Amino acid sequence: MAVLETNNDSKLITIIKRKGISFERGDLKIFKNYDYYQVINGYKNLFIVGVETIDDIYNNLMQGVSINDYIDAFGLDKSLSNVNLIFDKICQKICSKYGLKFSKSWNANRMISEIKKIDYVHHKYASSAKFSDFVRMYKFEHELRLLLLRYTLIIEENMKNIFIKFLNNSKASANFLTDINNYNLKDGDSMALETLKKVIDEHGNKHSKPIKRKRDQNLTIPYWILINELSMNQTYKAIDNLNIHTSRLIFQNCVNHFTNLNLDYTDKRKRFIQRKKEKEQIKKFKILLSYLGEFRNMLAHNQPIYSFNIANTNMLDFPTLYYSRPKVQNPQNRLAEQHNMNAALMYDFQDFFGTDIYNRQNHNININLGTIIYIIYKIISHIDHNTNFYDELISIYSKYNILFSNHANSINSYDNLVSLKNKIRDFPDFEFEELIQKIDNDEKHKMDVKKMKKMINDYRKDLMSLNKKVLIEKKMSKYSLFPSNAQYTKYTGIDTSYFNKIK
């Protein structure tokens, strides 16, 4: 197995500069606060404008194209002019970096063949790429992950409650989850056994006080404790691998709790075709829950989420993006088939959440970060009508000036604002009715009008004086507009109009 080359901070900074990524004032000082892999490797796809295979490099060199660029990118001696020697040096650099064996006796074809084994590509970055923008994206996603994790955990908790309540109301035995007879083993699928093993393994959880207490008491650890120790993905798998009828009933309860639907596929009064449709709706919502479970793991492990569900993050197929789900029947037409399946999913969204601008667009919609955020938002909005999810989402994008700026207004003094509001409320206290009555009765009123005029002028002066003391300031993002918005939209499906479409 090849062993990758390791680098110290100084060498990593040199590597970054060779990629054409610039450092601005102060960037070198903060470099030590960030991990190269998490910042540069994690978000490089947003700043890459092209990729080249080892074949591309060889052909360009032989045609005299971009020779100086390659010398700079690979840190070669600038005095080199022989293209064959330059290519040899580049191959040596690549082999050294990836721990590949290299022999000076190899010809160009052999070197190309060896390097192709690791699917090597040379990245070409946008001329505007700055280290500070990599850090900005890293910090932005860190805040976005925390927001999404918080709300996904709410969905997870609700899902566990549904599971526990179903077993409670079914009068299940306390050892329900450890009884192999409750699992679907008919299809010979090992997934049920793996789930059972995971549940049994939880009995040894040293970090769970409820489990430890039951062990110390030499009592059965009941399902209502075990379920709460599972992750969302594990909870999903536990439900999914139960006996088919039990599993479907629990997922039906999830559909009814998280969406606008009210299903009961067991109602014999319904027509067969209706019950069949409801089973299909349960099956489709299960898919969404499985997506959420996998996404939750990404959030918990601080993985980049802009590339959620993107299969080809190695950039080999640049600029085309393929998706790891849904699985397709015909790999030869993978992208088109994925698009068709995803477009059909928009109709399911209409059933689950009602029709909106986002799910009305039944064309080539990809299951990407935009889709998963939409699902979280719609579920959360359904179970909590007063959620602040949407405003919090807007706030994070605005803070880092990703896609758009949303200027926030702030008042300089709350006391001044209260005084202004109180002064405005005083206006109706003027005794206009008494003056009007005098006029109607042909009584003397000119002095009263003068007094009223003075009172109004004094009021106006006071009002304008108070108004001047209330200053409204626009707080701008400290960041300029993110330079890779187009690439971000390509990966995530989130653009400036997205936020209005999902609302």
Side-chain angles (χ1 to χ4, degrees), residues 156 159-161 163-164 195 198 226-242 250-251:
E156 176 182 324
M159 186 175 172
K160 290 177 179 179
N161 291 340
F163 192 4
I164 292 170
T195 297
K198 175 61 186 173
L226 289 172
I227 289 172
N228 279 313
E229 296 299 333
L230 300 176
S231 69
M232 185 175 184
N233 212 22
Q234 291 165 349
T235 304
Y236 171 86
K237 289 179 179 178
I239 301 171
D240 193 37
N241 287 301
L242 294 175
I250 297 171
F251 280 124

Side-chain angles (χ1 to χ4, degrees), residues 296-342:
R296 185 265 194 205
N297 287 345
M298 291 181 69
L299 297 172
H301 292 93
N302 288 324
Q303 297 178 25
I305 57 173
Y306 75 93
S307 54
F308 168 75
N309 196 31
I310 308 299
N312 58 325
T313 52
N314 57 11
M315 306 292 280
L316 282 172
D317 297 313
F318 182 87
T320 304
L321 296 180
Y322 293 98
Y323 299 84
S324 56
R325 62 183 77 81
K327 302 296 183 183
V328 297
Q329 299 297 321
N330 180 13
Q332 299 298 320
N333 198 25
R334 184 157 55 111
L335 190 60
E337 194 173 339
Q338 282 177 329
H339 280 165
N340 290 335
M341 294 171 72
N342 297 344

Side-chain angles (χ1 to χ4, degrees), residues 192-436:
L193 293 176
E194 289 180 17
T195 297
L196 179 59
K197 180 180 182 302
K198 175 61 186 173
V199 170
I200 292 173
D201 286 345
E202 280 298 324
H203 285 66
N205 188 334
K206 296 179 181 179
H207 304 290
S208 170
K209 290 182 179 179
I211 286 179
K212 183 179 183 301
R213 179 172 174 78
K214 294 300 178 186
R215 277 205 318 265
D216 292 343
Q217 294 172 327
N218 200 26
L219 295 173
T220 299
I221 300 173
Y223 60 78
W224 55 87
I225 289 179
L226 289 172
I227 289 172
N228 279 313
E229 296 299 333
L230 300 176
S231 69
M232 185 175 184
N233 212 22
Q234 291 165 349
T235 304
Y236 171 86
K237 289 179 179 178
I239 301 171
D240 193 37
N241 287 301
L242 294 175
N243 292 326
I244 294 174
H245 181 63
T246 302
S247 173
R248 187 179 287 140
L249 284 173
I250 297 171
F251 280 124
Q252 176 177 265
N253 289 351
C254 289
V255 173
N256 292 341
H257 181 75
F258 290 131
T259 77
N260 297 337
L261 294 177
N262 186 19
L263 309 181
D264 183 3
Y265 82 92
T266 64
D267 188 349
K268 298 293 179 66
R269 294 169 299 180
K270 295 179 179 178
R271 296 172 59 191
F272 173 79
I273 192 169
Q274 176 62 27
R275 294 170 64 197
K276 182 179 179 182
K277 178 183 178 182
E278 292 189 2
K279 286 182 181 180
E280 188 64 23
Q281 288 173 318
I282 294 169
K283 181 180 177 181
K284 289 178 177 179
F285 193 74
K286 273 178 58 180
I287 295 172
L288 300 190
L289 290 176
S290 71
Y291 292 169
L292 284 178
E294 293 182 33
F295 185 65
R296 185 265 194 205
N297 287 345
M298 291 181 69
L299 297 172
H301 292 93
N302 288 324
Q303 297 178 25
I305 57 173
Y306 75 93
S307 54
F308 168 75
N309 196 31
I310 308 299
N312 58 325
T313 52
N314 57 11
M315 306 292 280
L316 282 172
D317 297 313
F318 182 87
T320 304
L321 296 180
Y322 293 98
Y323 299 84
S324 56
R325 62 183 77 81
K327 302 296 183 183
V328 297
Q329 299 297 321
N330 180 13
Q332 299 298 320
N333 198 25
R334 184 157 55 111
L335 190 60
E337 194 173 339
Q338 282 177 329
H339 280 165
N340 290 335
M341 294 171 72
N342 297 344
L345 182 63
M346 293 298 107
Y347 289 107
D348 299 321
F349 286 159
Q350 291 179 16
D351 288 339
F352 296 143
F353 308 121
T355 304
D356 53 42
I357 299 175
Y358 182 82
N359 63 39
R360 269 206 308 266
Q361 297 181 338
N362 293 286
H363 51 266
N364 291 349
I365 300 294
N366 300 314
I367 297 174
N368 45 29
L369 180 63
T371 313
I372 205 76
I373 290 178
Y374 171 83
I375 294 169
I376 294 171
Y377 174 50
K378 289 299 177 178
I379 289 177
I380 289 295
S381 298
H382 182 78
I383 61 179
D384 178 11
H385 297 304
N386 295 317
T387 179
N388 291 320
F389 178 90
Y390 184 85
D391 292 335
E392 292 176 85
L393 183 69
I394 290 284
S395 177
I396 292 174
Y397 274 87
S398 301
K399 176 179 177 180
Y400 291 94
N401 213 342
I402 308 293
L403 296 175
F404 66 95
S405 298
N406 189 27
H407 308 308
N409 293 332
S410 64
I411 303 296
N412 66 325
S413 170
Y414 179 74
D415 290 339
N416 289 340
L417 181 64
V418 171
S419 297
L420 176 63
K421 289 165 67 175
N422 289 337
K423 194 65 181 179
I424 292 172
R425 292 191 183 99
D426 286 343
F427 187 82
D429 292 341
F430 291 148
E431 297 177 357
F432 291 113
E433 289 299 325
E434 186 178 337
L435 177 60
I436 292 172

Side-chain angles (χ1 to χ4, degrees), residues 30-290:
I30 66 170
F31 177 81
K32 66 179 183 297
N33 298 327
Y34 297 96
D35 176 67
Y36 175 91
Y37 180 81
Q38 287 186 319
V39 175
I40 301 298
N41 275 17
Y43 298 100
K44 64 186 178 186
N45 296 43
L46 296 175
F47 301 91
I48 290 171
V49 293
V51 299
E52 294 176 344
T53 65
I54 193 66
D55 283 327
D56 295 327
I57 294 173
Y58 178 78
N59 292 333
N60 286 340
L61 286 172
M62 294 307 113
Q63 295 171 25
V65 177
S66 303
I67 293 176
N68 290 330
D69 290 341
Y70 290 127
I71 288 175
D72 290 339
F74 288 94
L76 305 181
D77 188 339
K78 294 184 181 297
S79 66
L80 290 175
S81 58
N82 184 300
V83 291
N84 288 300
L85 181 57
I86 291 172
F87 184 70
D88 288 349
K89 295 290 185 182
I90 289 174
C91 290
Q92 289 179 39
K93 289 273 188 178
I94 295 171
C95 289
S96 176
K97 177 180 179 180
Y98 291 97
L100 302 176
K101 293 181 179 179
F102 178 83
S103 173
K104 293 182 179 180
S105 63
W106 291 352
N107 60 22
N109 288 335
R110 177 64 188 276
M111 288 188 287
I112 290 172
S113 176
E114 291 296 320
I115 291 173
K116 277 184 175 180
K117 291 178 182 178
I118 60 170
D119 291 333
Y120 172 79
V121 289
H122 172 61
H123 300 131
K124 301 180 73 175
Y125 287 82
S127 58
S128 61
K130 297 183 294 186
F131 177 73
S132 58
D133 283 326
F134 281 81
V135 173
R136 186 214 303 210
M137 179 53 63
Y138 172 80
K139 292 167 69 175
F140 159 73
E141 279 223 330
H142 179 70
E143 287 197 35
L144 184 60
R145 276 194 301 268
L146 290 176
L147 172 71
L148 297 175
L149 179 60
R150 176 154 54 90
Y151 283 104
T152 304
L153 288 176
I154 294 173
I155 298 172
E156 176 182 324
E157 183 181 1
N158 276 259
M159 186 175 172
K160 290 177 179 179
N161 291 340
I162 291 167
F163 192 4
I164 292 170
K165 283 182 179 295
F166 176 86
L167 296 181
N168 288 345
N169 294 330
S170 301
K171 298 181 180 178
S173 61
N175 68 337
F176 180 90
L177 286 185
T178 55
D179 186 347
I180 195 171
N181 295 309
N182 293 322
Y183 290 86
N184 177 27
L185 302 173
K186 296 179 182 178
D187 299 330
D189 192 345
S190 63
M191 290 300 296
L193 293 176
E194 289 180 17
T195 297
L196 179 59
K197 180 180 182 302
K198 175 61 186 173
V199 170
I200 292 173
D201 286 345
E202 280 298 324
H203 285 66
N205 188 334
K206 296 179 181 179
H207 304 290
S208 170
K209 290 182 179 179
I211 286 179
K212 183 179 183 301
R213 179 172 174 78
K214 294 300 178 186
R215 277 205 318 265
D216 292 343
Q217 294 172 327
N218 200 26
L219 295 173
T220 299
I221 300 173
Y223 60 78
W224 55 87
I225 289 179
L226 289 172
I227 289 172
N228 279 313
E229 296 299 333
L230 300 176
S231 69
M232 185 175 184
N233 212 22
Q234 291 165 349
T235 304
Y236 171 86
K237 289 179 179 178
I239 301 171
D240 193 37
N241 287 301
L242 294 175
N243 292 326
I244 294 174
H245 181 63
T246 302
S247 173
R248 187 179 287 140
L249 284 173
I250 297 171
F251 280 124
Q252 176 177 265
N253 289 351
C254 289
V255 173
N256 292 341
H257 181 75
F258 290 131
T259 77
N260 297 337
L261 294 177
N262 186 19
L263 309 181
D264 183 3
Y265 82 92
T266 64
D267 188 349
K268 298 293 179 66
R269 294 169 299 180
K270 295 179 179 178
R271 296 172 59 191
F272 173 79
I273 192 169
Q274 176 62 27
R275 294 170 64 197
K276 182 179 179 182
K277 178 183 178 182
E278 292 189 2
K279 286 182 181 180
E280 188 64 23
Q281 288 173 318
I282 294 169
K283 181 180 177 181
K284 289 178 177 179
F285 193 74
K286 273 178 58 180
I287 295 172
L288 300 190
L289 290 176
S290 71

